């Protein structure tokens, strides 16, 4: 299985233009989400439509041909995309992160020009360093040289979006024992993409294995692995997950309204004539709506923290400068003071949003079944997918570690580790 060839993007590169271009596709995704989940049918056509509409251009700077969206605008886009189909929001995550590297200046020179070209023509991306077996974080994929040149052999797992992608990036161990990064086209001989991701939820994120069987690689396709070196350069990866959880909560709210109006009946001893008139159904629906609202607000607040940091950095200001000139007695800015490091403050905000949006999405997905009776458990409705999807996204990073890191920062000023998980 793989994505079809595509033409160059012709959609307008403005935030409003991209939003308008993708709106019909989001409606189709929303309408078919339950059936696709039940039948394990990947939305290849819809993902291609989104790419052709320029969705990866959303955060790319205007001077590079993108829409130049703020992080807040981007987060709201992801929430709405995830509300239509959370699988698609996550399947595009690698591509969004490639585009983000253009927005934040995390890639320069020839590599940057190459990425701009690929993003503007609508290419999609996949990549992972993950492998099964061995110690966590270990790399067994190898880069070796034979009489024909360099070749890569190994297997990677969690290749999110891999079936849609034109490019795959990963890591390998060279003959000197060093970890190197690589990027190869997915149609190159020896690259095999498998649809073997079998999680309880998010079944259609195309997050299966990528086998690398003697894949030829040119020296200019190698580079340093994209390991995080300082905050908050990897935080958008986690904001996307938080926004996906908020989108799931929104989808739960929308389904609650729909099933109350169209499917549910009031319990026998209710005095209401319809489920929508039952005061307890109304109360549960309100709680679900509050969970969705809260999740969105948390994600938006975290996105604004990232926007503040990037604005200060682009202006040439030290992110550790205060806005009000105030610091704690030991020089450390506490929560809510003008003295906090904007980079770390953004990381902490994203970690909080990930935990909070996950809790709200899981709670909303459970409450959904309280707006009706046993009928709502019918497989044809597919309402269980919301909880399964939220549970799967929430398992990407240990929420306990994120909460502990937030607490450590507030209590002692300890900075979360720059290990890619915050």
């Amino acid at each position: 299985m793989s994505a079809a060839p595509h033409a160059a993007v012709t959609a307008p590169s403005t935030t409003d233009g991209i939003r308008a271009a993708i709106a019909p596709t989001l409606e189709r995704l929303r309408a078919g989400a339950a059936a696709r989940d039940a039948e394990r049918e990947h939305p290849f056509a819809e993902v291609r439509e989104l790419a052709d509409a320029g969705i990866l251009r959303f955060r790319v700077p205007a001077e590079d041909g993108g829409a130049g969206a703020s992080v807040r605008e981007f987060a709201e886009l992801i929430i709405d995309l995830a509300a239509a189909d959370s699988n698609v929001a996550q399947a595009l995550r690698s591509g969004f992160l490639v585009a983000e590297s253009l927005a934040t200046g995390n890639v320069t020179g020839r590599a940057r020009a190459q990425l701009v070209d690929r993003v503007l023509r609508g290419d999609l991306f996949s990549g992972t360093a993950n492998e099964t077996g061995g110690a966590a974080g270990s790399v067994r994929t190898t880069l070796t040289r034979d009489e024909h040149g360099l070749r890569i052999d190994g297997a990677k797992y969690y290749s999110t979006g891999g079936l849609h992608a034109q490019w795959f990036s990963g890591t390998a161990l060279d003959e000197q024992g060093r970890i190197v990064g690589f990027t190869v086209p997915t149609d190159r001989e020896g690259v095999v993409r498998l649809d073997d991701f079998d999680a309880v939820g998010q079944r259609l994120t195309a997050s299966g294995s990528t086998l690398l069987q003697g894949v030829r690689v040119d020296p200019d396709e190698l580079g340093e692995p994209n390991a995080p070196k300082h905050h908050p350069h990897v935080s958008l990866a986690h904001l996307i997950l938080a926004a996906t959880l908020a989108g799931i909560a929104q989808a739960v709210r929308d389904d609650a309204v729909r099933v109350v109006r169209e499917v549910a009946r009031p319990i026998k001893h209710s005095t209401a004539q319809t489920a929508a008139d039952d005061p307890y159904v109304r109360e549960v629906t309100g709680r679900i709506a509050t969970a969705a609202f809260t999740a969105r607000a948390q994600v938006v607040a975290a996105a604004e923290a990232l926007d503040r940091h990037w604005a200060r950095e682009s202006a040439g200001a030290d992110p550790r400068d205060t806005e009000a000139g105030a610091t704690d007695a030991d020089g450390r800015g506490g929560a809510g003071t003008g003295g906090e490091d904007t980079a770390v403050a953004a990381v902490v905000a994203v970690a909080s949003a990930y935990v909070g949006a996950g809790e709200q999405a899981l709670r909303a997905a459970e409450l959904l079944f309280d707006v009706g009776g046993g009928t709502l458990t019918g497989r044809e409705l597919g309402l269980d997918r919301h909880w399964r999807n939220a549970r799967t996204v929430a398992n990407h990073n240990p929420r306990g570690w994120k909460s502990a890191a937030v607490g450590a920062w507030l209590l002692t000023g300890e900075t979360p580790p720059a290990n890619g998980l915050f």
Side-chain angles (χ1 to χ4, degrees), residues 20 22-23 42 60 63 74 142 146 152 166 245 273 285 354 359 393 409 416:
I22 68 173
H42 289 276
V60 173
E63 56 267 30
F74 174 72
T142 60
D146 60 20
I152 296 173
Q166 282 71 52
L245 288 161
Q273 296 301 307
T285 303
Y354 176 90
E359 291 174 348
V393 178
W409 165 246

Side-chain angles (χ1 to χ4, degrees), residues 39-62:
E39 299 166 10
R40 194 176 173 80
E41 180 180 330
H42 289 276
F44 288 115
E46 290 83 358
V47 170
R48 186 67 258 158
E49 286 176 11
L50 293 174
D52 289 343
I55 196 168
L56 292 194
R57 293 185 178 195
F58 205 67
R59 274 279 290 159
V60 173

Side-chain angles (χ1 to χ4, degrees), residues 147-229:
E147 66 273 18
H148 302 293
L150 297 169
R151 57 180 286 166
I152 296 173
D153 291 275
K156 298 291 185 180
Y157 196 51
Y158 296 134
S159 307
T160 303
L163 300 181
H164 303 283
Q166 282 71 52
W167 300 94
F168 177 81
S169 298
T171 52
L173 205 62
D174 71 8
E175 292 174 320
Q176 285 73 50
R178 300 170 300 188
I179 296 178
V180 298
F182 65 87
T183 298
V184 294
T186 54
D187 60 358
R188 181 165 293 173
E189 184 178 0
V191 178
V192 180
R193 293 171 286 174
L194 302 180
D195 186 18
D196 60 350
F197 184 61
D198 63 349
V200 296
Q202 295 295 87
R203 296 170 174 173
L204 302 176
T205 58
S207 298
S209 300
T210 300
L211 308 183
L212 304 152
Q213 301 172 337
V215 177
R216 297 297 172 188
V217 58
D218 295 330
D220 62 1
E221 294 173 326
L222 301 175
E224 294 294 325
N226 294 321
K229 293 180 173 60

Side-chain angles (χ1 to χ4, degrees), residues 75-110:
E76 292 180 319
L77 174 78
I78 299 300
I79 292 170
D80 294 342
L81 175 57
D85 189 330
S86 63
N87 292 274
V88 175
Q90 195 164 343
L92 291 173
R93 183 168 172 247
S94 291
F96 287 131
L97 295 178
V98 167
E100 180 68 5
S101 69
L102 300 175
T104 59
N106 206 29
V107 61
T108 58
R110 181 178 180 276

Side-chain angles (χ1 to χ4, degrees), residues 124-150:
L124 294 175
F125 303 82
S126 177
T128 181
N130 291 299
E131 301 185 8
T132 58
S138 63
V139 177
R140 292 184 292 178
T141 298
T142 60
L143 173 69
T144 57
R145 183 181 296 276
D146 60 20
E147 66 273 18
H148 302 293
L150 297 169

